[in-house]
Amino acid sequence: MRDFNKLKKLYWLQLLAVFLLGGYLLFFGQWRIESNLLSILPHSAQQQDFSAAEQALFKSKSQQLIVLIAGDNALKAHDALAMKVHDVANVSVAPLIEPSLTDIAEFYRPFRHNFLTSSYLKHLDNSQALAQLATKQIIQVANPFVSETIATAPRLNLAEYLQVALSNLADVEFDQGVAFVNVQGQRYLLSRLQVTLDGLDLNTSVDISAKLQQLFNDIRNVEKVELIYSGILFHTAESTRQAKTEISTFGVLSLVAVLLLIWSAFRSMLPLWSAVLVLSIASAYGFVAILLFFQSLHLLTLVFAITLIGVVIDYCFHALVYADRQKNLQQGQKSNPLTKPLVLGFITTAIGYFILVFSPLSLLSQVAVFMIFGLFGALITVLALLPQLKGFNKITSSASAVAFSQQGVNVFSNLVRYKKMIISLLVFSLVSLAVLAPIKFDDDVRLLNSSPKWLIEQEISVAKALNYHHSQRLIIKAKTAQEMLEIQEQVIDRVLASQANIRVKGINKLLPSIKRQQQHHALLAKADEQGHFQAVLALSGLDDPINVFKPLTFQDFLQGPLAAIGESYTAYYDTGNGLEYASWLELSQAPLSAENLLWLAENPHVSLYDTASDVSDALGQYRQGILWLLASAFMVVVVILFAKYGLKAGALSAIATIGSALLALTLSQLFSSHLNIFNLLAVLLIIALAIDYVIFYQEHGLQVKTFLAISLSALSSAAVFGILVFSATPAVSSFGLTVMIGIVSIFILAPIATKNINLNDMRSS
C-alpha cells in the first residue's frame, strides 16, 4: 500500500513536471514551424559543403516573386499592380532599372584595353580582318555601342565586347523604362516583387499569399489580361493551408471514429474518457519532447503525429478489455497483469523508432521522438492511472462485441490449424509477386511535391517565359574574388571546349578575372605595336595610345552602373574564418555531357545546383541505409522474441511480422505504381503494430478477450491510417496506404503465432 502510494505520487509529480516544461518551452522556447518539404529532406555531402555559398547567393531571391502580364491592357495592369501592391504589408516592388549605356561606356573607359571578344582574339594578327570587323560595326548607324564608345575606344574592341556581353544577359528588354520578355511573339511585362521580412512565419506567408492572389485576380478581371506568377511564398502558403486542413480534418475524423468504436464496444462513457485522457497525455509527452529537442517543427510532423492515435489506442483497448481482471491496486496487488505484455510491446516498438532518432531526415527524427515519448506517456498512464479511476475495473464489453469476438476466435481457431499451409501460401505469394512485380523504389523528390497542379503550371509558365525552364546552374566558391573569377573562367572554357552550343549566363563577360584582363591587354598591345590596328584607327581618324595595364577589380565593378548585375550573380559571406566568395552560372540550350558532369563533380570549387537531383540522390542513399537499420532493428526484436517465447513461437512471430511488411510493400506498389521512402517508413509502424499483436497472442493465446482487443486495435488503426490515404501530400498518402495494407495483413497473420486457444475465455470471466 505504501509502495503504491509512493508510485502514485511519483506519477503525478512527473506529469506535473512534463506540463510545466511544456508550458515553458511553448511560450519561451526558441522554436518555429516549417511547411516546406525541402527544408526537412536530406542533402548530399557536396550540397552541405556549398550550403553557405548557396544561401548567400539565393537567400534574397527566395523571397522574390515574379509577375508576368500580357494583353491589350498589359501596361495599365502593370501600373495598377505597382500602385496597389503597396497595400499588401511587407511586400514592395523591386525596381527593374535599365542601365544607361552612356554610364556603362564611361565606366569601362579606363579599362578599355583589357577586353577582347573571341572575334578580335581570332584576328589580332590580321590587319585586314580587324579592319573588316571595325567597318562592320561602324556601318551599323543605329548601333549605340559604337556611338557611345568610339570616341574613347576607336579600335571598337570595347564596343563589340559590351554588345556581346550585355546581349548574352538580355532575356529581359526595356521599353520606355518598363521591363518585358518576348515569348513566341507575345510580349509579357515583367514585375518583380520583394517580400521585405527577413523571416516568414507560416501564418504571415498564408496572409500575404491570399492578399496577393486576390490582387492578381482583381487586376485580371478589371483589365482582362493574362497574369502569371511564381515564388516560393506561394508554395509555402499552399503547403501550410493544406497541412493545417489535413491536421484538423484527419485528426477530428480519426478521433471521432475511434471514440465511436469504443462506444460500440463498451457502451459506457468511462472508456471514452479513459481513451481521451490517455491520448491527451501521450500527445503532451510527444509535443514536449519535440519542443525540447528540436528548434523547428515541421507541419508534416503533426500530420504523421496523428498516427500516435493508432498505436496508443492499442494500449487503451487492452486495458479496457481486461479492466475487469485488474483488481484494485490499492488493495495490495503489486503489479498490473497487463504490465509484462505492454512493457515488452513498448520496448520493441521503441527500438524500432529509436533507429530514426539520429536520421538526417529531420522529419523522421521528429516523428520518432514524438512516438517514443508519446508511447511512454501512454504506457505509464495506462498502467499507473487508469486502474485507479473510479469504476474502471467494472468496465465490461458489450454483448455485440463479445459475440463478434467469439465468432472471430472460432474462425481463426480453425485457420490456425493450417499454419503450415498458410505459411506456405504466404511464401509462395511473396515469391510470385517478387518475380512478377519486384519491389522498386523511386527516390525522385519531385514525386513528393505537394503543391497543387495549378501552382506548378504557373511556375513552369514563368520559367519558360524567362528561359530557365531547362537550364542548369553551377555554384562556384573561392577564398578570394579573383580566384572565384578565375575558376569561373576555367569552368566555362572546359564546358565549351566539348559543348560549344551551350549558352552561358553570368558575370564572366562583364567582369573577367584580372589574369584574363592582363592577357587581353598584352595581346592588344602587341597587335598594336605590330601595326595591325592602323587601318582600324584610320577609319575614325582618332588615336588611342595603350597605357600601362589598369585592372577592373571586383570591388570597382560593384561600385559601377552594373552593380545590380554583379550582386545578382555573386556574393561574399563570412565563414567564421574570414570571407569567402561565390558566384553562379546559368547553362542552357543543352544538358551537360556525362564527361563535363564528371569533371565538375571532381572539382572541389564547383557544385551543380540541382536541388531536386541532389535531394533525390540523398534520399536514395538514406533509403538504403534505413533498410539496413530496419533489418538490424528487426533482428534485435526477433532475438528478444526468441529469448522470451522460444524458437518455434519466436519464428512464427517473426514470419507473421515480416510477412505482413513485405505484403504491404508489394501490394502498395501494385496500387500506386511506385514506392518511396515513406512507404518504407510505414513498414516501421507495421512492425510496431505487428509486434504488439503477436506479443499479446503469445501471452494470452487466441482467446476472446485478446481477439477483441486486437480487433478493436486493428479497426481503430485502419480508421486512423486509412484516412491518410486521401491526403494531398504524396508522402502522407503513400505512408497511409502501406500501413492500411499492413494492418489487414498482420491482423490475418498474427494468430499463427498463438500458443493456445481458449474459446471460453469471455464466458469464464
Side-chain angles (χ1 to χ4, degrees):
M1 179 71 175
R2 185 176 301 171
D3 290 340
F4 168 76
N5 287 331
K6 289 182 179 179
L7 183 63
K8 184 178 179 181
K9 290 179 181 178
L10 181 62
Y11 173 82
W12 287 109
L13 284 174
Q14 64 83 32
L15 186 62
L16 177 62
V18 168
F19 278 96
L20 289 176
L21 176 61
Y24 173 80
L25 293 172
L26 183 64
F27 294 105
F28 302 103
Q30 299 296 317
W31 60 278
R32 65 184 186 277
I33 296 180
E34 296 180 347
S35 67
N36 181 13
L37 183 63
L38 290 179
S39 68
I40 58 168
L41 293 177
H43 301 285
S44 68
Q46 185 181 32
Q47 188 179 29
Q48 291 174 0
D49 189 39
F50 278 78
S51 60
E54 177 185 325
Q55 185 176 19
L57 288 168
F58 301 124
K59 181 179 179 180
S60 63
K61 295 178 180 62
S62 68
Q63 293 181 316
Q64 288 182 358
L65 315 174
I66 301 298
V67 182
L68 297 175
I69 304 174
D72 294 337
N73 295 325
L75 185 58
K76 288 179 61 179
H78 176 274
D79 293 341
L81 175 64
M83 180 177 63
K84 295 179 180 179
V85 77
H86 295 290
D87 296 334
V88 180
N90 303 312
V91 180
S92 62
V93 176
L96 291 163
I97 301 174
E98 182 179 15
S100 165
L101 191 53
T102 301
D103 293 340
I104 294 173
E106 179 60 25
F107 174 75
Y108 276 94
R109 183 185 62 79
F111 318 103
R112 61 191 180 277
H113 301 135
N114 303 354
F115 306 104
L116 296 172
T117 63
S118 58
S119 298
Y120 268 77
L121 287 169
K122 184 178 180 181
H123 300 297
L124 279 178
D125 58 350
N126 189 325
S127 302
Q128 185 178 357
L130 289 175
Q132 290 176 350
L133 280 174
T135 303
K136 184 178 179 181
Q137 293 185 75
I138 289 176
I139 62 175
Q140 297 176 14
V141 180
N143 188 333
F145 294 95
V146 174
S147 60
E148 290 291 344
T149 63
I150 191 171
T152 56
R155 291 179 183 81
L156 297 179
N157 62 301
L158 182 60
E160 178 165 288
Y161 193 91
L162 291 177
Q163 184 175 6
V164 171
L166 291 172
S167 63
N168 190 50
L169 300 172
D171 287 330
V172 177
E173 302 177 64
F174 289 87
D175 184 5
Q176 297 181 355
V178 178
F180 69 91
V181 292
N182 280 311
V183 183
Q184 297 179 346
Q186 175 70 60
R187 175 178 287 193
Y188 284 86
L189 302 190
L190 171 64
S191 294
R192 189 174 62 194
L193 309 180
Q194 182 73 44
V195 179
T196 55
L197 291 177
D198 289 335
L200 276 177
D201 62 57
L202 299 184
N203 291 329
T204 303
S205 69
V206 172
D207 180 61
I208 293 175
S209 175
K211 290 179 178 178
L212 285 175
Q213 290 181 30
Q214 183 60 54
L215 175 59
F216 297 159
N217 287 331
D218 290 344
I219 292 175
R220 282 194 194 102
N221 295 332
V222 172
E223 304 298 344
K224 308 299 180 185
V225 294
E226 178 188 359
L227 188 151
I228 57 177
Y229 56 88
S230 73
I232 293 176
L233 168 77
F234 302 110
H235 292 273
T236 301
E238 290 300 321
S239 298
T240 302
R241 275 194 288 262
Q242 179 176 294
K244 285 184 175 181
T245 299
E246 291 183 357
I247 289 169
S248 58
T249 303
F250 293 173
V252 170
L253 291 178
S254 299
L255 186 58
V256 168
V258 170
L259 294 180
L260 286 175
L261 188 61
I262 294 174
W263 175 260
S264 66
F266 301 100
R267 302 297 173 88
S268 170
M269 290 301 296
L270 183 56
L272 290 175
W273 291 120
S274 300
V276 171
L277 177 64
V278 176
L279 288 171
S280 300
I281 292 176
S283 298
Y285 271 73
F287 283 120
V288 171
I290 289 290
L291 296 178
L292 182 63
F293 294 109
F294 298 94
Q295 290 185 337
S296 62
L297 171 62
H298 200 279
L299 280 180
L300 273 184
T301 300
L302 302 183
V303 175
F304 278 108
I306 297 171
T307 62
L308 181 70
I309 299 174
V311 184
V312 167
I313 206 65
D314 288 3
Y315 296 0
C316 293
F317 281 132
H318 288 295
L320 293 172
V321 168
Y322 286 92
D324 58 342
R325 288 191 177 182
Q326 299 179 67
K327 296 179 181 180
N328 196 325
L329 298 182
Q330 293 181 1
Q331 295 178 354
Q333 183 177 340
K334 294 184 178 180
S335 64
N336 190 319
L338 289 179
T339 299
K340 185 168 65 172
L342 286 180
V343 169
L344 186 58
F346 167 75
I347 290 173
T348 52
T349 302
I351 288 173
Y353 277 105
F354 186 74
I355 65 174
L356 301 181
V357 170
F358 304 101
S359 163
L361 196 61
S362 62
L363 171 65
L364 305 187
S365 302
Q366 293 180 11
V367 171
V369 168
F370 187 93
M371 293 296 289
I372 291 172
F373 281 86
L375 290 177
F376 177 74
L379 176 69
I380 61 176
T381 302
V382 165
L383 295 179
L385 181 60
L386 289 192
Q388 310 313 312
L389 298 180
K390 185 177 180 180
F392 185 80
N393 62 342
K394 296 180 181 179
I395 294 174
T396 57
S397 305
S398 66
S400 59
V402 173
F404 164 80
S405 184
Q406 189 70 61
Q407 292 176 359
V409 170
N410 292 335
V411 171
F412 278 94
S413 63
N414 290 322
L415 290 176
V416 168
R417 295 188 178 96
Y418 303 98
K419 288 181 181 179
K420 291 183 179 180
M421 187 180 73
I422 293 173
I423 293 174
S424 299
L425 181 62
L426 174 64
V427 172
F428 175 78
S429 300
L430 289 173
V431 171
S432 299
L433 288 171
V435 172
L436 297 174
I439 293 176
K440 294 181 180 179
F441 289 89
D442 192 334
D443 301 308
D444 190 347
V445 72
R446 288 167 291 193
L447 297 174
L448 302 178
N449 192 339
S450 61
S451 297
K453 183 178 179 180
W454 64 266
L455 184 55
I456 295 175
E457 290 175 348
Q458 291 262 5
E459 289 282 353
I460 293 174
S461 297
V462 172
K464 287 181 177 178
L466 296 180
N467 201 27
Y468 63 80
H469 182 46
H470 293 298
S471 64
Q472 294 175 288
R473 289 182 177 181
L474 298 178
I475 296 178
I476 296 163
K477 67 171 188 174
K479 296 294 184 181
T480 66
Q482 288 307 311
E483 183 186 12
M484 172 192 73
L485 295 174
E486 289 178 17
I487 295 172
Q488 181 176 257
E489 290 165 353
Q490 292 170 10
V491 169
I492 295 171
D493 292 344
R494 171 67 189 233
V495 169
L496 294 182
S498 58
Q499 292 183 271
N501 57 329
I502 283 184
R503 178 188 177 190
V504 180
K505 289 177 64 176
I507 199 176
N508 55 298
K509 292 295 185 182
L510 294 173
L511 180 61
S513 66
I514 292 178
K515 181 179 179 181
R516 182 151 296 187
Q517 292 181 50
Q518 198 163 19
Q519 290 172 348
H520 287 189
H521 184 276
L523 290 171
L524 186 70
K526 181 179 179 181
D528 187 71
E529 184 180 344
Q530 294 174 347
H532 295 314
F533 278 103
Q534 289 182 358
V536 175
L537 294 173
L539 292 174
S540 61
L542 299 173
D543 190 23
D544 180 28
I546 298 179
N547 299 321
V548 177
F549 172 69
K550 179 181 180 181
L552 172 59
T553 66
F554 180 74
Q555 290 71 24
D556 290 337
F557 185 82
L558 293 183
Q559 301 299 317
L562 297 177
I565 296 177
E567 292 168 356
S568 177
Y569 281 97
T570 64
Y572 51 92
Y573 51 96
D574 192 351
T575 63
N577 295 319
L579 290 180
E580 286 198 1
Y581 293 79
S583 64
W584 63 276
L585 298 169
E586 183 177 307
L587 312 180
S588 59
Q589 296 185 354
L592 286 169
S593 65
E595 180 186 0
N596 276 327
L597 287 173
L598 179 61
W599 182 81
L600 291 171
E602 294 174 347
N603 191 321
H605 299 284
V606 185
S607 174
L608 181 63
Y609 180 68
D610 187 349
T611 302
S613 295
D614 184 84
V615 174
S616 297
D617 291 341
L619 277 177
Q621 296 171 10
Y622 178 66
R623 175 181 52 76
Q624 294 174 5
I626 200 173
L627 275 171
W628 287 105
L629 290 173
L630 277 173
S632 302
F634 178 72
M635 292 304 298
V636 172
V637 171
V638 169
V639 169
I640 294 174
L641 292 175
F642 280 177
K644 177 65 180 174
Y645 300 114
L647 183 60
K648 182 179 179 181
L652 289 173
S653 300
I655 291 171
T657 303
I658 194 64
S660 61
L662 291 175
L663 275 175
L665 282 177
T666 304
L667 295 179
S668 293
Q669 182 172 255
L670 292 178
F671 286 123
S672 61
S673 75
H674 68 271
L675 299 176
N676 57 57
I677 193 172
F678 292 96
N679 296 105
L680 185 60
L681 295 173
V683 171
L684 179 62
L685 184 56
I686 293 169
I687 292 175
L689 292 171
I691 290 170
D692 283 346
Y693 292 2
V694 298
I695 284 176
F696 269 89
Y697 276 128
Q698 290 285 0
E699 289 291 328
H700 300 293
L702 178 55
Q703 55 174 299
V704 175
K705 282 184 176 293
T706 305
F707 184 82
L708 177 59
I710 289 176
S711 297
L712 293 173
S713 171
L715 288 171
S716 63
S717 297
V720 172
F721 300 115
I723 198 170
L724 297 182
V725 176
F726 301 101
S727 171
T729 304
V732 178
S733 178
S734 56
F735 179 88
L737 174 63
T738 302
V739 174
M740 264 293 293
I741 298 173
I743 289 170
V744 175
S745 301
I746 193 58
F747 180 74
I748 297 172
L749 295 175
I752 70 172
T754 188
K755 65 179 181 180
N756 61 68
I757 301 173
N758 186 351
L759 300 179
N760 298 314
D761 173 72
M762 189 66 74
R763 294 170 185 164
S764 63
S765 65

